[in-house]
Amino acid sequence: MAYRKVNYEDVDQVSSAMHFLSDPLETEQVGVTIARCDPGWKSKPHDHTDNRHEEIYVLIEGEATVIVDDDPVSMETGDALWIPPAATRQIRNGGRESAFVLVSAPSLGEDEGDDEWLLSGFAG
């Protein structure tokens, strides 16, 4: 089979908000999480220094604040936020439900990867 499909609602929720899709999709180089955040929900502050994963948080519904290294970043529907691996991050949801798509992947250092790939980027 050339593809894998899963509905995030069929994946057990973690921390009362997160649906981690990488395992059921059997991804090797990218992490994908759907976060459906109840009013007032907060994630645990964390970073990805150990696994060197950079992340992009895309808010697809509602409003929320993401704290990045103690800097509050207000987000509204449609906003995308890039976060480097070593930065501490925490989602703090507002007064109504919000939904994020969180995407993570190992960052490529200057001595890693193919320069051609870095120039062409992701065409998807």
Side-chain angles (χ1 to χ4, degrees), residues 4-21:
R4 292 186 271 292
K5 178 183 171 187
V6 66
N7 186 304
Y8 81 89
E9 292 180 347
D10 295 334
V11 176
D12 289 337
Q13 216 175 37
V14 176
S15 299
S16 74
M18 308 286 206
H19 299 268
F20 297 110
L21 304 181

Side-chain angles (χ1 to χ4, degrees), residues 40-79:
W41 182 84
K42 295 178 183 177
S43 68
K44 291 176 64 174
H46 67 285
D47 64 49
H48 288 282
T49 302
D50 291 344
N51 63 15
R52 297 182 48 201
H53 280 205
E54 60 183 350
E55 287 187 306
I56 297 174
Y57 286 18
V58 181
L59 187 63
I60 58 172
E61 181 182 314
E63 296 177 353
T65 300
V66 178
I67 308 299
V68 181
D69 285 338
D70 298 321
D71 185 19
V73 180
S74 296
M75 295 188 66
E76 57 187 49
T77 300
D79 287 345

